[in-house]
Every structure is written in structure tokens, then in C-alpha cells.
Amino acid sequence: MAQLVHDVFKPGCVGRVLEELRGVLGGVTWRRLGGLNSRGIMTQVVHDVLNPGCVGRVLEELRGVLGGVTWRRLGGLLSGGVLCRLLWSQYGILLKRRLPYWSMGWPILGHTPGILSMTIEGWADKFMQGKPPAVLANYLFTNTVIVSYQLYSQHIHSMELDGKLGSEFPPSFSKLLGTSSVLTLPGGKGHQHHKRLRTKLLHSLAPKPCLEVLPEMSIEVRKMLDKLAEDTARNGFASFEALGSNLAAKVSTLQITAGLSKDLQARVEDLVDIVVSGLFSVPVNLGRFSAFGRALAARRELQGIVTQLLKKPILDKRNILADLAKVTEGGEAFTTEEILDTIITLLLAGKLTTSDALPNLFVNLSQQPDWAAKVAQESLEFTSIESDSAALRVVLESLRIVPPVGAYRRVDKEKAIDLGEHGQIPAG
């Protein structure tokens, strides 16, 4: 880069090029310009500038300037420009006034490696220990101010209820979830699109439709428990992570893949896994050569599957696609785009939350043998998901202690959010 700048801007070279251009434009006076109409001005300037002798001399000088520019130098220039852009996007915010306490992590990567080695909630809990209730940090390639719930309640909650805040996700999340996802749309007062989607979605996922897939859910849970017992008998221990993630994928897709062939169900689960891996990747689309590119391709394939399902004259009654695509007491029919973004949101959210909640549930049961015994004595027959039971109490308490989604992102794109003595969050 330094060599290229030196070559282009060295005084002798610049002087010769400017001298040639001065000769071209020297005869163009304000008087001449004033005496010409717009068409005449264009004709005169084009004639002077494109004079063959002048063009030849200017090109000759430029050829001397650019003669030393090689592909290697050009590649270094482009790489340097990209690097500077990435560093500015991370550290440029530090020029703002009244920022909260900040910790930007590694250059470019920020705190992303810590999140990938844990969960985002686990990383945030550890990261915020000993720090003020508002901290500016960089993770997942975006700058974010992390605030405690108490500070949120004092300064931000009322703004959200009034519909002044929008959802804000890393670029990879927004592209993969879609513009009509209830997670990415702004909510609160005045945001009817979000309200319409949310109302109909809650109707489609009411307790009764969920109970209809309970038999299949029980089969999948039994398969996982049997596999754990088998691995323990063979190895003396069993690893839950892979089995729990697989169970989460199967259970979270039941109301969407109901009635599909086993092969197609398995394909949907695989595609969801690919999209999930792309959520936490660098948002660079290199096709199959990058995690984000593979995730975008998987999303397109999911779109094709959903589109084909909507064309079926009769869908399995347990499949919520049919309910979303028609007018019901829950609201108007979704458009095809809304259905696709909603289905992808449900698949991803269901898998991520369930896979995070299951390990904590099992740990809590192992630490509370008296409650485990109460759960074991209860019938496996459910007549209502919300009926009081030992199992429901254990699940709710486990979710209270360690919520699978312990944080969410909001943004005010128009003005800064004042946090009192803890500074302010810049607009956007």
C-alpha cells in the first residue's frame, strides 16, 4: 500500500499529469461557458478533453504511474481496505461521547470466540461478573451494549412498550430468519404486522394442537433415554450433548413435518442444523465454502420444501402449515413469505431453546432425587399441558433458574438511549 501511494502521489508524477490537464482546460473561461448553451458546453468540453493528442499525453503519464501496480500490490491494497473497514466498524464507536464502560475483545472477532466455546447466556453471565450494569461489547461481529434487567426496567422497558424500539440481530441472524420473522419485526404500540403474526401464531401453537403430537414426542424421548442407558451400560458413561441436540431437532419439527415421509423429515432436521451453524458464523457468502453460504443454501431448500407442502390439497391435521395458510379465528392467512420466515423461526428457536433447556432439566432432577421420584410416579397420560403436576413444576422451576433465552436485542435507530449515570447507548 505504501509503495502504491508513493508511486501515484510523488510530486513529479502528479505535476506532469496536472500540467497536461491544465493545458486541456486552460482555454475554457467563464466567459466562454456563459456564451454557450448546455449543449454547446458539453460539445466544447468533450472536444477539448478528447483531443487525440491530449488524451495520448495524459494516458502516457498515467501509464507511467500505474506501470508498477501488480496484482500482488492490488491484492494487498484491497485486503488492507477490508481490514481497515472491519476495524473501524468495531472501534469507530469509541469516538462517541458518554459511552458506558466498554470491553471490545479481540480485534475483528471481539468476544465471539468466548460465545462459541459456551452458550451466549453462559458467556454473558461470566462476562458481566464484577462489571457495571451496562457494558459496551463486540460479539458476533456487532457492537452491543449489554444491560442488566434492573437497568432495562428503569430506562428501556417503557420505550419498548411504546413501540419505539426495534429488534436487532447480527447480520447472519437477520438474513437467515427473514424480514417477516416475529423475532426481527418491531413490536409494541403501532406495529400491527408483528401483532397480527404473533396472534395467529399463538393460536396455531395452542395447548390442544401441541397435545396432538405428544405420542410422537414420547417415542422420541424414549429413544433418547434408551440410547443413554445403552451407552452407559457399554462405556460406563453417556454423552448427552449430541443426543439432546438430536432430540431437540426432532421434537421442534413435529408440528411442521407431521405427515411427511421419514426421509423428508430427516432432511428438514439436517437443514435446520446447517442453518443453526450459519447463525454464529462470519456473514460472508462464499457458497458451499463458508458456513454462512451453506446456511443460505439450506434456507433456500427449506423454502422449496415449504412451498411444495403448501401446494398439497390435504395436509396432516397436526401440521400447522395448513392453519397458517388459511383464515381462522386466530387471524388472517399468512402470505407465503410470512409462512416461510415463521417456519424457519420456529424450527431454529425450538431447536436452540430445547437443546439448551434439556441439560439443565436433567441436572436439576439429578440434584433433587425427591422431586425425581415424584415425577416418576406420575402417569405419562396428559390431558392438559397446563394442568398442575410435579413434572410441570420441575420444568417451570428449571426454566426459571436458567432460562434458555436469557437475553434479547433491541435498538433505537433514531436517537441515543440515556442510561443515567451509566452513560448512553448511541443511536443504532
Side-chain angles (χ1 to χ4, degrees), residues 10 121 152 224 248 265 308 315 368 398:
K10 61 185 179 182
E121 288 79 16
Y152 164 83
M224 183 201 68
Q265 287 185 18
Q308 291 301 316
L315 278 171
Q368 303 290 335
S398 181

Side-chain angles (χ1 to χ4, degrees), residues 153-166:
S153 300
Q154 293 174 354
H155 298 278
I156 302 175
H157 183 58
S158 60
M159 299 176 63
E160 183 166 11
L161 294 180
D162 291 337
K164 297 179 180 179
L165 304 181

Side-chain angles (χ1 to χ4, degrees), residues 56 94 111 122 124 134 138 140 153 259 290 316 356 365 386 399:
L94 299 181
H111 292 283
N138 180 279
L140 297 179
S153 300
S290 66
D316 190 293
D356 281 350
L365 280 173
E386 299 174 339
L399 293 175

Side-chain angles (χ1 to χ4, degrees), residues 4-23:
L4 181 60
V5 172
H6 178 270
D7 289 345
V8 173
F9 291 101
K10 61 185 179 182
C13 170
V14 174
R16 290 195 302 273
V17 174
L18 290 180
E19 188 65 33
E20 292 297 337
L21 292 177
R22 189 179 295 114

Side-chain angles (χ1 to χ4, degrees), residues 241-263:
E241 182 178 8
L243 293 175
S245 178
N246 184 55
L247 175 66
K250 291 182 178 297
V251 169
S252 61
T253 62
L254 282 176
Q255 286 182 282
I256 300 167
T257 61
L260 303 186
S261 66
K262 290 185 178 181
D263 289 342

Side-chain angles (χ1 to χ4, degrees), residues 52-347:
C54 168
V55 173
R57 291 192 301 273
V58 172
L59 289 179
E60 188 64 32
E61 292 297 334
L62 291 177
R63 188 178 297 113
V65 174
L66 299 177
V69 179
T70 64
W71 284 110
R72 184 176 180 180
R73 288 187 181 181
L74 184 59
L77 179 64
L78 293 176
S79 299
V82 171
L83 179 62
C84 291
R85 179 67 181 87
L86 292 173
L87 291 173
W88 175 256
S89 67
Q90 180 177 359
Y91 294 107
I93 192 174
L94 299 181
L95 298 177
K96 303 283 187 179
R97 296 182 178 181
R98 290 196 64 218
L99 286 177
Y101 174 91
W102 55 269
S103 174
M104 308 304 285
W106 292 91
I108 300 177
L109 296 177
H111 292 283
T112 303
I115 292 176
L116 296 179
S117 64
M118 298 181 273
T119 63
I120 189 169
E121 288 79 16
W123 167 83
D125 288 341
K126 183 176 180 180
F127 175 74
M128 293 297 288
Q129 290 178 6
K131 292 185 176 66
V135 179
L136 169 63
N138 180 279
Y139 61 90
L140 297 179
F141 311 101
T142 57
N143 290 326
T144 303
V145 176
I146 305 173
V147 300
S148 68
Y149 184 76
Q150 182 179 4
L151 199 62
Y152 164 83
S153 300
Q154 293 174 354
H155 298 278
I156 302 175
H157 183 58
S158 60
M159 299 176 63
E160 183 166 11
L161 294 180
D162 291 337
K164 297 179 180 179
L165 304 181
S167 299
E168 180 72 7
F169 289 93
S172 55
F173 277 67
S174 301
K175 294 236 179 161
L176 292 172
L177 290 176
T179 57
S180 295
S181 167
V182 290
L183 293 181
T184 58
L185 286 172
K189 292 181 181 179
H191 297 290
Q192 295 302 316
H193 192 188
H194 181 277
K195 181 179 180 180
R196 180 176 69 85
L197 298 183
R198 182 176 181 272
T199 300
K200 187 170 180 61
L201 189 56
L202 289 176
H203 177 269
S204 300
L205 296 174
K208 185 177 179 180
C210 291
L211 280 174
E212 292 181 349
V213 297
L214 188 59
E216 289 84 356
M217 192 180 300
S218 299
I219 291 173
E220 296 301 332
V221 172
R222 173 53 58 190
K223 287 180 180 178
M224 183 201 68
L225 294 176
D226 289 343
K227 187 66 169 65
L228 286 172
E230 178 185 333
D231 290 347
T232 302
R234 182 174 60 251
N235 305 320
F237 68 93
S239 176
F240 177 76
E241 182 178 8
L243 293 175
S245 178
N246 184 55
L247 175 66
K250 291 182 178 297
V251 169
S252 61
T253 62
L254 282 176
Q255 286 182 282
I256 300 167
T257 61
L260 303 186
S261 66
K262 290 185 178 181
D263 289 342
L264 191 53
Q265 287 185 18
R267 182 55 183 164
V268 170
E269 294 165 10
D270 291 340
L271 292 174
V272 171
D273 286 337
I274 296 173
V275 175
V276 168
S277 66
L279 289 176
F280 302 98
S281 65
V282 179
V284 176
N285 182 11
L286 298 178
R288 61 188 180 90
F289 298 104
S290 66
F292 185 66
R294 292 190 294 271
L296 289 175
R299 188 187 193 278
R300 289 192 294 270
E301 188 172 342
L302 281 172
Q303 179 179 4
I305 293 174
V306 171
T307 302
Q308 291 301 316
L309 287 176
L310 291 174
K311 293 179 179 179
K312 283 190 173 184
I314 300 177
L315 278 171
D316 190 293
K317 66 177 182 178
R318 298 165 299 171
N319 196 312
I320 66 170
L321 281 175
D323 192 59
L324 296 177
K326 64 184 179 182
V327 178
T328 65
E329 59 184 65
E332 300 176 1
F334 279 16
T335 65
T336 302
E337 179 186 358
E338 290 170 345
I339 291 176
L340 173 64
D341 292 350
T342 297
I343 292 303
I344 290 178
T345 299
L346 291 177
L347 290 172

